[in-house]
Amino acid sequence: MRSVEEHQHIVGELIRPRAAAAVPTAAALGLVLAEDVVAAISLPGFDNSAMDGFAVLDTDIAAAGDATPVTLPVVDDIPAGRTDTRPLQPGTAQRIMTGAPLPAGATTVVPVEGTDADFTTTATQVAIRRATVAGQHIRRAGEDVAAGTAVLRTGQLLTPAALGLVAALGLDRVSTLPRLRVLVMSTGSELVAPGAALEPGQIYESNAVMLSAAVREAGAEAITAPMVRDDPAAFRAALDEHAADADLIITTGGVSAGAYEVVKDALGGQVEFTKVAMQPGMPQGCGRVGDVPIVTLPGNPVSALVSFEVFVRPPLRAAMGLFPDRPRVRATLTEGLTSPRGKRQFRRGVLAGTTVTSYGPPASHHLRWLASANCLLDIPADVDQLAAGAQLDVWDLSGC
Ligand code: AMP
Ligand code: MG
C-alpha cells in the first residue's frame, strides 16, 4: 500500500498554477499577487489638512491664546476636492476642511476648536485662540507612500486593506494568480438529485454539493457536472463534455474493489488506481485525462471529503499561492481511542482550545458527525492506541 505522504506527493506534482492574469481590483479579494505593486503616485498625493479649521501662517498666530486671540480675515474657503486653491497671503486665513489641499504658503492649520468660528455660517473673520506650530495638522505629500515604492509584494494575499491600498494608488486592475477551475463529478447509479423522489435502493447525491463547496472554500472555482450512472461510456461522454475548461477534475465513487467501478473501468489505462494506507479513504487514483489532471476520490462521503482535505486541498491552494495547510494544533485527547495499525487515521473531532474529543464512529459513511466536527485528528500509521491525555496533531477545519 502507498503511504499518505507518497500519494500527497504524487497528487501535488499534478496540480499546477494557471498563468498570471490581470483582474479588476474589485474582484481580487482572496487572490494572491503575481507581481509587486509599485506606487505610481505618492500618498497623500499633495499636502492637505488633517483637520477642519483654518490654514494660516504660524508666525501670524504665534501669540494667540485664550486671553490673546488673534483675529484674521477669512479670504477663502477650501472644501475637500477643490482643485483651484490660491496662495495664502500673510495676515489672512483660509477656511479649510479635512483632506482639502493646503494653499501654497500656509504653514499650519488651526482646528476649528481652537477658534471662535461657527462652521454653520461663513464668517469674514476668525478669532484664533490656539497657536499651532509650523507643520501641525498638515498631512505631507508622500508621508504614507512615496511614488516608486513597492508597497505590496508578489505572493501577498489581497485582503480588504490591500485592495484599499491598490485602489488608493489608482489601479483598477491587479495581476494575480487566478483561481483554478475544478470540475466535480460524482458517479453512481444509485444516486438521485436532492429534491426528487427516491425509489427503494436509491440515495440522495451528496458528494457533488459537498466537494464543490470544499473547492470554493479552498479559494478555487467549482464547476459541478451532472452526476453520472455506473456506465463507462456515459462517464467518458460526461468527461468529454465538461472537462475542457477545467484545470483539475475530481470524481467520486467507482474506484474500489467491486464490480461496476465506473471510474476505474473508464480510465484504467490513463489513471493509476492505488490503495493508500489511510482510514478513511483507502481507494484512490490520480493521473491525467488529456492534459487535465484528475484525482479520483472514493465515493463514501466521509472518505471523499477527508481525501479532499488530505490530497487535493493543499496543492490546490499552493497552486493559487495560498497557504496550503489547515492550521495544525497540538492537542490533548480527552478520552482514549484505538486506531488501525499500519494506516494513518483521520478521525473527526471537536477541538476546544487545545483539548480534542473524537466525534462519532470511524466508519466512512457517518456524514452526520463530520458535519458538526471542527477538526480532524491525525493519528499516525504506527499508532494503534491512544490514552486519555495523549498529545496528537489536529487539523483545524475552521481555519484556512
Ligand atoms: P463507491 O465508491 O462508488 O463504491 O461508493 C461507496 C459508497 O458511497 C456507496 O455506499 C455509495 O452509494 C456512496 N456514494 C458514492 N457516491 C456518492 C455520492 N455522490 N453521494 C452520496 N453517496 C455516495
Ligand atoms: Mg459507486
Side-chain angles (χ1 to χ4, degrees):
M1 257 194 280
R2 185 181 278 179
S3 72
V4 168
E5 298 73 22
E6 269 175 278
H7 194 61
Q8 280 175 320
H9 178 76
I10 291 166
V11 174
E13 290 290 302
L14 286 171
I15 300 177
R16 290 282 163 249
R18 294 169 53 121
V23 298
T25 304
L29 179 67
L31 297 174
V32 162
L33 282 171
E35 54 186 46
D36 293 355
V37 173
V38 178
I41 59 171
S42 294
L43 295 178
F46 48 88
D47 292 354
N48 68 90
S49 179
M51 301 290 278
D52 298 326
F54 293 86
V56 294
L57 256 180
D58 64 296
T59 47
D60 282 344
I61 58 153
D66 270 331
T68 54
V70 172
T71 298
L72 296 175
V74 179
V75 300
D76 212 339
D77 189 32
I78 317 170
R82 188 164 163 190
T83 55
D84 59 346
T85 56
R86 287 176 293 194
L88 183 86
Q89 302 305 322
T92 71
Q94 295 190 20
R95 197 169 80 146
I96 191 166
M97 302 303 143
T98 304
L102 194 74
T107 58
T108 188
V109 172
V110 182
V112 63
E113 297 82 358
T115 72
D116 67 355
D118 170 3
F119 267 12
T120 60
T121 62
T122 43
T124 54
Q125 57 178 37
V126 61
I128 291 172
R129 300 179 180 278
R130 193 185 298 170
T132 54
V133 298
Q136 204 172 346
H137 305 309
I138 294 171
R139 304 160 168 172
R140 291 295 176 198
E143 71 177 29
D144 186 10
V145 174
T149 308
V151 286
L152 296 169
R153 292 294 188 180
T154 304
Q156 207 170 330
L157 181 66
L158 288 165
T159 60
L163 293 177
L165 177 58
V166 168
L169 292 170
L171 300 173
D172 62 350
R173 299 176 82 76
V174 268
S175 175
T176 59
L177 284 180
R179 298 181 198 288
L180 266 62
R181 292 168 302 200
V182 182
L183 177 68
V184 177
M185 286 181 66
S186 50
T187 67
S189 296
E190 72 280 30
L191 305 176
V192 172
L198 286 180
E199 298 286 338
Q202 296 183 324
I203 62 168
Y204 285 121
E205 199 289 318
S206 58
N207 286 345
V209 68
M210 177 174 68
L211 287 172
S212 297
V215 163
R216 286 188 203 104
E217 194 217 29
E221 190 184 319
I223 309 160
T224 312
M227 60 202 167
V228 187
R229 64 185 187 281
D230 291 324
D231 168 358
F235 176 76
R236 279 230 153 257
L239 267 186
D240 290 345
E241 188 178 342
H242 299 286
D245 282 344
D247 303 305
L248 171 67
I249 304 162
I250 301 174
T251 63
T252 68
V255 294
S256 42
Y260 313 107
E261 301 292 6
V262 63
V263 177
K264 252 184 176 172
D265 294 346
L267 299 179
Q270 286 161 285
V271 168
E272 189 191 6
F273 295 98
T274 186
K275 286 183 176 174
V276 176
M278 157 166 156
Q279 191 193 59
M282 186 174 68
Q284 298 287 343
C286 64
R288 285 181 191 280
V289 173
D291 289 340
V292 187
I294 183 167
V295 181
T296 64
L297 303 178
N300 268 308
V302 177
S303 309
L305 191 60
V306 170
S307 303
F308 178 86
E309 282 288 331
V310 173
F311 299 118
V312 182
R313 192 180 197 273
L316 182 61
R317 285 177 60 84
M320 297 180 289
L322 299 168
F323 187 77
D325 293 331
R326 298 280 195 180
R328 304 287 159 89
V329 178
R330 191 80 184 151
T332 307
L333 197 59
T334 57
E335 52 198 18
L337 52 80
T338 58
S339 175
R341 179 172 286 277
K343 284 187 179 176
R344 186 160 160 191
Q345 194 188 37
F346 292 92
R347 293 277 276 263
R348 280 61 70 200
V350 176
L351 179 68
T354 55
T355 62
V356 67
T357 306
S358 168
Y359 193 53
S364 52
H365 59 288
H366 289 279
L367 191 54
R368 167 192 163 188
W369 303 91
L370 181 55
S372 296
N374 66 2
C375 69
L376 294 175
L377 283 59
D378 181 359
I379 305 168
D382 59 357
V383 170
D384 59 5
Q385 224 164 7
L386 284 167
Q391 300 280 300
L392 78 168
D393 284 333
V394 166
W395 297 18
D396 182 356
L397 299 179
S398 64
C400 286

